[in-house]
Amino acid sequence: MNTLSLPKHSTMLSKNFVYGVATAAFQIEGGVNDRLPCIWDTFCGEPNNIVDNSNGDVACDHYNKWLEDIELISSLGVDAYRLSISWPRVMTASGKLNQTGVNFYINILDELKKRNIKAFVTLYHWDLPQYIEDIGGWLNRQTAYKFQEYTDLISKAFGDRVYSYATLNEPFCSAYLGYEVGIHAPGKKGRENGKKAAHHLLLAHGLAMEVLNKNSPRSLNGIVLNFTPAYAVDDKVENIEAAKFADDYFNQWYVKPLFDGQYPEILQQLPESCHPDIHSDDMKIISHPIDFLGINFYTRMVYRATPDDFFEEIPPEGKLTDIGWEIYPQAFTQLLTSLNNLYELPPIYITENGAAIADKIIDNEVNDLDRIDYYQKHLFAANQAIVQGVDVHGYFAWSLMDNFEWAEGYLKRFGIVYVDYQTQVRTIKASGVAYKNLISDRK
Ligand code: FCB
């Protein structure tokens, strides 16, 4: 199939439902000489961190091609564009705004407004200024306050140009992948780090929410979390318990504090050395009300019990995407309905969903039927959740275009637009056309 469809009476077919495409600064911008270094520059510069030894120096050259890229976004007929702001581009090391960097985004935001495209801005999509990492990064509580200052200045500078602010993208990835297992920047390892970094990230979120609600009360202000639902390999009690622990460790850890003002109970089972340093008002700050919750979903994970640890991950089987992630759309519906049962949720936006496919460009066409199939199944799964009562207001495809896929470099393509990195030519894939048609066919 090369089309996307939804059940006839789906609310996802209404014009009010927001469709968008998403990107992140480090993954597309390049323009490295016009900003300060970030942790990903440093990480890419160290051997064996990035599969193809690449970096973000040029990426999709969006820093120079931004206007053309907005024309491309506009040609897809989407309602919204989710982008992130590069903190090291807009702030100096002495804590002032860098006006050149600010203007870069103001031009983008103005152009989006002109074209009636809602700007969904993420303030932190993993590119921490290196000078902040040099004083401990997210392991240093002060970083949360630095993030609040950056949020304060940038939200004032942007004025009323932004439709929605997300404080952080996927704090799980920053904390766990970056500071606990070290496969993302800054590449720190140690079980004792993960929950400490996570606490400072969540604190940063709460502190930023206070500022956003003051400076930008009319925008939708919230956070974007990723979820990889945890399944037990079978019905054995120990395996079910292992999966539950993994779910608390990876997923609930980031969402429960937002709505319940508490970490999951497994905190008590973690060694003292792993406990975050929680100050008296922290949980109150972290649970500041949010206007929306952004949810990123790609895959699920299967677990079993092991004598050596709290749980063990089982390598995925079944149908996988090019990045090795299992295609399991029913987990998407289950995730949304279970979150809806567990918490008093604000409106939900699916802020990322998509698939890496080994695309081939032939005669200027990319016939990415497997990606269309992935989108089709996940749009249906989201619709199922809506039918079951989940208040989903929007959906963003990850990604607008192929880009720097972190530790995988440029080898994994997630775009609905193909990027030739030699020429920087963009070609809309069959999935891009299908997405555009789905959006334009709404009543
Ligand atoms: C998410 C990230 C995004 C992209 C996708 C594939 O975890 O937020 O930047 O890399 O995965």
Side-chain angles (χ1 to χ4, degrees):
M1 280 292 266
N2 56 4
T3 56
L4 291 170
S5 64
L6 281 159
K8 202 159 162 222
H9 298 293
S10 168
T11 56
M12 293 174 77
L13 287 176
S14 115
K15 288 254 189 231
N16 295 330
F17 192 85
V18 173
Y19 283 98
V21 285
T23 63
F26 191 84
Q27 295 180 277
I28 65 164
E29 285 180 2
V32 66
N33 296 325
D34 276 3
R35 61 164 173 77
L36 294 177
C38 74
I39 54 175
W40 274 92
D41 298 312
T42 312
F43 191 68
C44 291
E46 293 157 1
N48 306 323
N49 285 341
I50 312 297
V51 176
D52 61 358
N53 290 314
S54 62
N55 58 44
D57 288 3
V58 178
C60 305
D61 197 24
H62 176 72
Y63 188 64
N64 295 305
K65 296 175 92 71
W66 64 271
L67 188 55
E68 189 189 311
D69 287 338
I70 296 181
E71 278 160 16
L72 178 68
I73 293 167
S74 175
S75 80
L76 293 169
V78 291
D79 309 303
Y81 173 45
R82 175 170 178 246
L83 69 153
S84 82
I85 308 300
S86 159
W87 181 352
R89 194 184 289 296
V90 296
M91 292 290 287
T92 66
S94 60
K96 297 207 172 61
L97 284 178
N98 170 1
Q99 204 51 51
T100 312
V102 175
N103 289 346
F104 169 66
Y105 293 110
I106 287 194
N107 288 337
I108 289 177
L109 296 172
D110 284 344
E111 192 62 33
L112 291 171
K113 207 163 215 161
K114 212 166 94 192
R115 292 166 186 272
N116 219 1
I117 298 169
K118 296 178 167 73
F120 277 67
V121 165
T122 301
L123 292 167
Y124 184 71
H125 200 127
W126 309 355
D127 42 359
L128 188 72
Q130 183 60 43
Y131 65 87
I132 299 182
E133 180 56 35
D134 293 341
I135 50 169
W138 289 111
L139 293 176
N140 181 350
R141 184 178 170 92
Q142 281 314 310
T143 300
Y145 294 90
K146 288 199 184 301
F147 181 71
Q148 186 185 36
E149 284 158 28
Y150 149 57
T151 300
D152 183 33
L153 295 183
I154 200 71
S155 57
K156 279 183 186 141
F158 287 165
D160 63 358
R161 293 175 177 87
V162 175
Y163 182 83
S164 161
Y165 279 107
T167 53
L168 309 178
N169 176 71
E170 304 187 349
F172 154 81
C173 293
S174 301
Y176 180 77
L177 302 181
Y179 290 86
E180 189 167 331
V181 291
I183 59 174
H184 276 190
K188 295 250 152 64
K189 291 192 179 80
R191 181 166 283 181
E192 69 285 0
N193 291 337
K195 300 307 186 209
K196 289 179 185 145
H199 185 66
H200 296 147
L201 280 150
L202 289 170
L203 179 65
H205 154 75
L207 292 168
M209 279 302 301
E210 292 173 359
V211 160
L212 287 173
N213 280 4
K214 218 180 287 152
N215 296 353
S216 186
R218 282 203 291 271
S219 51
L220 286 179
N221 304 326
I223 187 171
V224 170
L225 301 180
N226 62 305
F227 292 88
T228 304
Y231 286 71
V233 66
D234 57 29
D235 286 347
K236 292 208 184 92
V237 176
E238 63 268 30
N239 292 331
I240 291 173
E241 278 172 4
K244 167 84 173 73
F245 195 103
D247 184 48
D248 283 345
Y249 198 80
F250 294 130
N251 299 314
Q252 308 304 327
W253 199 270
Y254 299 88
V255 64
K256 189 174 169 67
L258 300 180
F259 299 115
D260 294 352
Q262 285 173 7
Y263 286 113
E265 277 167 18
I266 59 159
L267 173 61
Q268 305 317 324
Q269 294 175 57
L270 300 177
E272 197 63 43
S273 61
C274 299
H275 286 209
D277 180 20
I278 306 174
H279 294 200
S280 58
D281 278 343
D282 286 4
M283 300 317 287
K284 209 169 121 217
I285 296 170
I286 291 171
S287 56
H288 190 290
I290 51 179
D291 303 328
F292 82 101
L293 174 66
I295 292 181
N296 295 352
F297 176 86
Y298 290 94
T299 188
R300 67 151 180 179
M301 205 55 90
V302 180
Y303 298 92
R304 70 176 155 231
T306 163
D308 312 323
D309 209 335
F310 295 113
F311 52 80
E312 183 181 45
E313 208 175 285
I314 298 186
E317 292 170 6
K319 224 178 155 219
L320 311 181
T321 61
D322 192 41
I323 201 165
W325 297 348
E326 186 188 6
I327 302 173
Y328 199 75
Q330 53 272 52
F332 193 19
T333 310
Q334 282 168 9
L335 165 71
L336 293 168
T337 54
S338 73
L339 290 174
N340 203 32
N341 290 335
L342 283 171
Y343 305 108
E344 281 293 323
L345 296 178
I348 299 294
Y349 285 79
I350 307 307
T351 32
E352 285 181 31
N353 178 233
I357 303 292
D359 295 315
K360 294 272 167 297
I361 182 155
I362 300 164
D363 295 334
N364 284 325
E365 280 183 18
V366 181
N367 209 9
D368 56 339
L369 299 185
D370 288 342
R371 182 174 289 106
I372 296 180
D373 191 53
Y374 181 96
Y375 277 121
Q376 179 61 76
K377 294 198 164 99
H378 288 78
L379 286 164
F380 255 84
N383 183 65
Q384 271 309 114
I386 294 174
V387 170
Q388 292 174 47
V390 187
D391 190 21
V392 184
H393 287 221
Y395 176 96
F396 290 74
W398 182 271
S399 175
L400 163 67
M401 57 186 163
D402 299 333
N403 56 50
F404 176 77
E405 180 44 39
W406 308 111
E408 304 285 339
Y410 295 94
L411 301 178
K412 302 300 173 200
R413 294 179 177 271
F414 272 94
I416 58 172
V417 172
Y418 186 90
V419 176
D420 178 327
Y421 295 112
Q422 251 62 61
T423 60
Q424 291 296 348
V425 169
R426 282 82 160 120
T427 305
I428 300 179
K429 302 178 191 178
S431 58
V433 175
Y435 196 51
K436 176 191 162 123
N437 290 338
L438 171 80
I439 294 166
S440 67
D441 283 353
R442 285 172 304 162
K443 297 282 172 292

